[in-house]
Amino acid sequence: MKIWNEIPIKENKDKLISIPSCFKFISPHPYYDLGAPYKEKKSIWKLREEVVKRLIKVNDFLKLKNNSLSLLIYDSWRPIEVQKFMFNRAFILECERLDIDASEKDMERYPIVKKNVEKFWAYPSFDDRYPPPHSTGGALDITLADKYGNIINMGSNIDQMDDKSKPDFYNNIDNVDAIIWNDRRKLLKEIMIKFEFVQHPNEWWHFSYGDQLWAWKNKKTYALYGKI
């Protein structure tokens, strides 16, 4: 459990809606392509209505700042079953990296590995008090694309489980690539925060509005979105 999971939730019933086609999306959807158990395969890309409204404003603002760039959505709402699938997969990959022979059934035997995974993947809790951010419809993974819709280099891959994924990792590294990557990350953060999103402390690509992380960062007494 994260510190922000202590924030209570007062669900405001904001609708989960499809993200409009004016946005660019990674294709195919990276988790569906891995076999994640989405039930509605034709309408994976969803967020809360207020989140979509704010994201449209972000996209319009980005065009004013730099019309050669656009937002590229990598992931949005995740059903809890998908969160569980991806968390378990991340655990297995981390075990392989550490040369540990284990399956998802062995997770409690390796608490340090599990803790490492939880830096980047919220535990798939079915408890309504502690929903994974993506399962609220308030969180999304997002990056920048060039004018042709191609993803641009941000200094690490989305879902990369190491220190390079921290938003400020390249802040004090003085080489040409690091400066470029840092500027791109700062731009993404700037435009998202302008419209009241908050950034995950370990992931340059993860932003949210209305969930417990958002409430905690903004010192709100409660979050707006629970599991949906």
Side-chain angles (χ1 to χ4, degrees), residues 4 10 28 32-33 40 49-50 62 97 104 111 114 148 154 180 186 189 191 216:
W4 50 81
K10 290 187 180 180
Y32 175 69
D33 202 41
E40 299 179 51
E49 188 169 14
E50 180 62 27
L62 175 58
R97 186 184 72 83
E104 60 191 58
K114 182 182 173 186
Y148 303 107
M154 302 287 280
I180 291 172
K186 286 168 65 176
K189 180 179 180 179
I191 61 176
W216 177 72

Side-chain angles (χ1 to χ4, degrees), residues 3-105:
I3 189 171
W4 50 81
N5 291 131
E6 297 174 4
I7 304 292
I9 300 166
K10 290 187 180 180
E11 173 61 59
N12 75 352
K13 306 296 185 183
D14 196 11
K15 292 179 181 178
L16 189 69
I17 64 170
S18 295
I19 304 170
S21 58
C22 61
F23 288 98
K24 292 183 172 67
F25 304 87
I26 197 81
S27 183
H29 187 287
Y31 306 153
Y32 175 69
D33 202 41
L34 290 170
Y38 288 93
K39 295 176 182 176
E40 299 179 51
K41 298 177 176 61
K42 293 184 179 179
S43 56
I44 291 175
W45 302 103
K46 293 181 177 181
L47 288 168
R48 298 279 190 148
E49 188 169 14
E50 180 62 27
V51 179
V52 170
K53 288 178 182 177
R54 290 175 182 274
L55 201 58
I56 289 170
K57 292 178 180 179
V58 174
N59 208 30
D60 290 343
F61 183 70
L62 175 58
K63 289 175 184 176
L64 291 174
K65 285 186 70 71
N66 189 334
N67 63 9
S68 67
L69 295 175
S70 63
L71 297 178
L72 180 67
I73 301 175
Y74 187 90
D75 188 38
S76 52
W77 170 67
R78 283 179 212 151
I80 191 70
E81 295 82 7
V82 171
Q83 184 71 23
K84 182 178 180 181
F85 176 93
M86 293 305 299
F87 188 93
N88 290 349
R89 182 179 182 275
F91 174 79
I92 297 301
L93 290 175
E94 186 68 359
C95 285
E96 290 176 358
R97 186 184 72 83
L98 297 169
D99 200 24
I100 297 172
D101 184 14
S103 72
E104 60 191 58
K105 296 178 182 178

